[in-house]
Amino acid sequence: MERFRTIIEPFRIKSVEPIRLTTVEEREAKLRAAGYNLFNLRAADVLIDLLTDSGTGAMSAEQWAGIQRGDESYAGSPSWFRFLDAVTDLWPFRHVIPTHQGRAAEKILFSVIGGPGKVIPSNTHFDTTRANVEFTGAEAVDLVIPEGREPATIHPFKGNMDTDALDALIRARGAENVPVVFVTVTNNSGGGQPVSLTNLRAVREVCDRHGIPLFLDACRFAENAWFIREREDGYAAVAVPDIVREMASLADGMTMSGKKDALANIGGWLALNDDRWAEQCRNLLILTEGFPTYGGLAGRDLEAMAAGLREVVDEDYLRYRIRSTAYLGEALVAAGVPCVQPIGGHAVYLDAAALLPHIAALEYPGQALACALYREGGIRGCEIGTVMFGMRPDGSEVAAPMELVRLAIPRRVYTQSHIDYVIEVIRWVAERASALRGMRIVEQPSALRHFTARFEPIQ
Ligand SMILES: *Cc1c(COP(=O)(O)O)cnc(C)c1O
């Protein structure tokens, strides 16, 4: 196979979902009715849906077979033990606590270890992680390396944590106020950029020096392991599951969304070594999620994750996954469309500020671009810029550091011709970028406005 360059989808398709072709006029009408907010669209009116890679993947025949096999016993179901074996084969932590999705694991963990006066450092907290930390009264601090904040800077491990800044933070605040250090792999909010094992070891050293446990937000652990294999010295010949186990050996626990690298549509877990924390977390779990052998899930969901965990570390899958995301990004870069670089694992981020310099930040270039991609080609992405981050708690507005449109790639869903179409649409829009106008908000809630705000184009 090495003789041929084309990287094919390492699967064939035996169940299809039709997507409905629409016209520009239809989509313009849908946009207007949705208040130019793509979250308000009906999914059936979207041609290629790149809003998120969370829970939107296609399951395999093995996963569907597992769903049929799912055992719904309240306690001690065989499905639970198959799930537990699959998790601990990669992540041999002493305790595994299933939850209905990643944020439930975060909620339970931070309820136990957070609280006022505490500070939780991470390379970059994902938004639900930050929200769950802050909800307890604790402070969430992002300490990614400086390169991780610069869209155009190329670095093989842009998700790495700044270990000097971590050490300084712990000294300044006191180790007793830092219950845990988190590292997100890959760094979702930072562009899906990976973290190296060298960096994880360095973070571990800082943690050991201060007696603080290290946890991974491991949502995209397999994509991260693939980047380590491709980019880190000494790992080119190491099997992906062994790289994952090495990541696990450096950590004391993890939170996980099964909607990402467990290739499932729902699910998650918390895993950890500390017996006392685990007992407290299980007590909370029973209160809000369910009995410890099912969490907030059906037995069939546990089966889907168990099968997904075996498939996600397959080299053919990962090569296809990472290459197909890069295929989209590299084609856009070659066409002169500004993107966050290097291309991350699960998404391509368009730099709307660079593409639309004539639109001021407070006229939402990312929103204008996202709407244009839908109008012209039926593609749904997600603004990550001033609409999402620009409103202060007092209601005033400030420009976000970056104006991005994220195109997240669902796992095993779209083929290369779908992506070729996406490339063509984006090039079409980019060539006409100077004609795009900014947007104004006509209605918005007081928090998390990107989900429900209504806009209109500025004439
Ligand atoms: C999706 C995600 C979460 C939260 O998981 P949910 O299953 O959506 O609750 C946490 N961290 C990261 C990095 C994520 O991508």
Side-chain angles (χ1 to χ4, degrees), residues 151-202:
T153 304
I154 308 269
H155 183 289
F157 292 102
K158 249 175 137 170
N160 282 353
M161 187 179 244
D162 182 338
T163 47
D164 291 337
L166 175 65
D167 194 60
L169 177 81
I170 296 170
R171 284 176 198 285
R173 303 293 284 270
E176 68 280 9
N177 295 316
V178 186
V180 69
V181 171
F182 253 79
V183 176
T184 310
V185 294
T186 56
N187 192 19
N188 184 4
S189 305
Q193 301 291 331
V195 176
S196 69
L197 274 167
T198 305
N199 186 249
L200 273 184
R201 275 191 286 271

Side-chain angles (χ1 to χ4, degrees), residues 54 101-104 106 126 128-129 184 186 188 217 219-220 256-260 267:
S54 179
Q101 56 185 91
R103 68 197 68 185
E106 294 165 355
F126 181 63
T128 61
T129 322
T184 310
T186 56
N188 184 4
D217 176 341
C219 292
R220 296 179 183 79
M256 177 71 191
S257 168
K259 305 173 73 169
K260 293 28 175 297

Side-chain angles (χ1 to χ4, degrees), residues 5-217:
R5 288 188 47 251
T6 306
I7 291 169
I8 61 169
E9 289 83 4
F11 49 80
R12 53 186 185 177
I13 297 164
K14 75 171 173 194
S15 174
V16 298
E17 256 179 339
I19 48 182
R20 198 168 65 85
L21 301 175
T22 47
T23 63
V24 175
E25 293 71 31
E26 266 179 88
R27 292 191 295 266
E28 177 62 51
K30 301 285 181 198
L31 258 185
R32 211 172 313 118
Y36 296 88
N37 185 332
L38 304 180
F39 285 99
N40 288 338
L41 291 172
R42 291 184 182 219
D45 295 327
V46 176
L47 195 55
I48 308 281
D49 203 344
L50 308 181
L51 189 64
T52 175
D53 66 320
S54 179
T56 53
M59 287 203 293
S60 66
E62 272 308 300
Q63 287 180 291
W64 284 110
I67 283 194
Q68 287 295 314
R69 202 186 309 119
D71 179 295
E72 305 304 339
S73 301
Y74 191 91
S77 152
S79 298
W80 154 251
F81 288 104
R82 277 192 281 272
F83 168 75
L84 184 61
D85 285 348
V87 172
T88 52
D89 180 50
L90 294 171
W91 304 94
F93 294 121
R94 286 163 56 80
H95 304 279
V96 177
I97 297 175
T99 58
H100 79 276
Q101 56 185 91
R103 68 197 68 185
E106 294 165 355
K107 166 81 180 153
I108 287 169
L109 178 67
F110 294 123
S111 300
V112 169
I113 69 173
K118 298 284 197 306
V119 53
I120 318 274
S122 176
N123 48 349
T124 310
H125 288 277
F126 181 63
D127 53 11
T128 61
T129 322
R130 169 175 288 277
N132 273 303
V133 166
E134 291 173 350
F135 188 73
T136 70
E139 188 187 344
V141 178
D142 293 339
L143 299 174
V144 74
I145 54 170
E147 293 89 334
R149 300 181 199 271
E150 302 159 1
T153 304
I154 308 269
H155 183 289
F157 292 102
K158 249 175 137 170
N160 282 353
M161 187 179 244
D162 182 338
T163 47
D164 291 337
L166 175 65
D167 194 60
L169 177 81
I170 296 170
R171 284 176 198 285
R173 303 293 284 270
E176 68 280 9
N177 295 316
V178 186
V180 69
V181 171
F182 253 79
V183 176
T184 310
V185 294
T186 56
N187 192 19
N188 184 4
S189 305
Q193 301 291 331
V195 176
S196 69
L197 274 167
T198 305
N199 186 249
L200 273 184
R201 275 191 286 271
V203 173
R204 175 84 238 180
E205 250 175 59
V206 175
C207 288
D208 284 345
R209 214 179 304 141
H210 297 282
I212 299 170
L214 169 60
F215 272 50
L216 300 177
D217 176 341

